[in-house]
Amino acid sequence: MGLLCASHQNFLFQQRLHGWYKAMLDYHLPTHRVINAALPSNFSTGSLLLSDILLNWPEINALICTTDELACGVLYECQRRHIRVPHQLAVSGFGDNEFSQFSFPPLTTVSLPSEKIGEYLASQLLNKLRGETHCHKPDLSVLVPTLRLRTSS
């Protein structure tokens, strides 16, 4: 398994990279299969960086991308190279962008409840501005990301 990253100065990227290392170490899996490029996180970069992944680790059979844009670029490059997804290489993204369900094959991705996160943060900010404090703990279970399993993995 490998990780494909771009835009390394982004705080969200740092969190995702930390999650990669934690998960891989928790399962006693190697953490070194990471390509991190200081390039835009877009389709072109995903397509371009697949070469680096395959050159460095030809045995790789699963690739996690830090954005759906990178993952879709990988899917396009796999089609160009006649790499069968998911049979030869499983691909997943992060973000559950609308296009991920219409890519070929449809992209497995992590979905963030962005609207609910925004509502929660806005209500917390308004409470602070009003000087309100709540004694109860908020229900954060609605803010948990979910995995959207599709046919790319």
Side-chain angles (χ1 to χ4, degrees):
M1 186 179 310
L3 180 67
L4 183 59
C5 314
S7 297
H8 70 279
Q9 295 178 354
N10 184 328
F11 176 70
L12 289 176
F13 158 74
Q14 294 294 332
Q15 289 181 321
R16 292 172 190 168
L17 186 61
H18 174 75
W20 162 265
Y21 285 120
K22 182 179 180 335
M24 298 302 278
L25 292 171
D26 285 350
Y27 288 95
H28 308 289
L29 296 170
T31 61
H32 68 281
R33 293 185 188 110
V34 176
I35 295 290
N36 179 17
L39 295 170
S41 185
N42 59 29
F43 290 44
S44 302
T45 300
S47 180
L48 176 72
L49 293 179
L50 180 61
S51 297
D52 291 346
I53 290 284
L54 298 175
L55 181 64
N56 286 295
W57 305 289
E59 74 282 1
I60 204 165
N61 62 6
L63 185 59
I64 298 171
C65 301
T66 55
T67 66
D68 285 350
E69 291 83 359
L70 284 173
C72 282
V74 167
L75 290 178
Y76 294 145
E77 188 63 17
C78 285
Q79 288 174 0
R80 193 182 74 73
R81 293 173 177 240
H82 305 287
I83 297 171
R84 295 178 310 133
V85 176
H87 307 292
Q88 291 173 281
L89 181 65
V91 179
S92 68
F94 197 97
D96 195 23
N97 291 310
E98 182 182 8
F99 58 81
S100 64
Q101 61 189 316
F102 299 108
S103 63
F104 184 79
L107 181 65
T108 293
T109 183
V110 174
S111 177
L112 295 173
S114 300
E115 189 172 312
K116 292 196 181 299
I117 291 170
E119 289 170 2
Y120 171 76
L121 292 174
S123 71
Q124 294 291 49
L125 180 60
L126 285 172
N127 289 342
K128 275 254 194 240
L129 291 173
R130 293 179 188 142
E132 298 173 9
T133 58
H134 295 292
C135 297
H136 63 74
K137 286 190 171 191
D139 177 19
L140 300 180
S141 65
V142 297
L143 305 181
V144 175
T146 55
L147 183 62
R148 300 278 187 227
L149 285 172
R150 298 189 180 115
T151 54
S152 70
S153 66

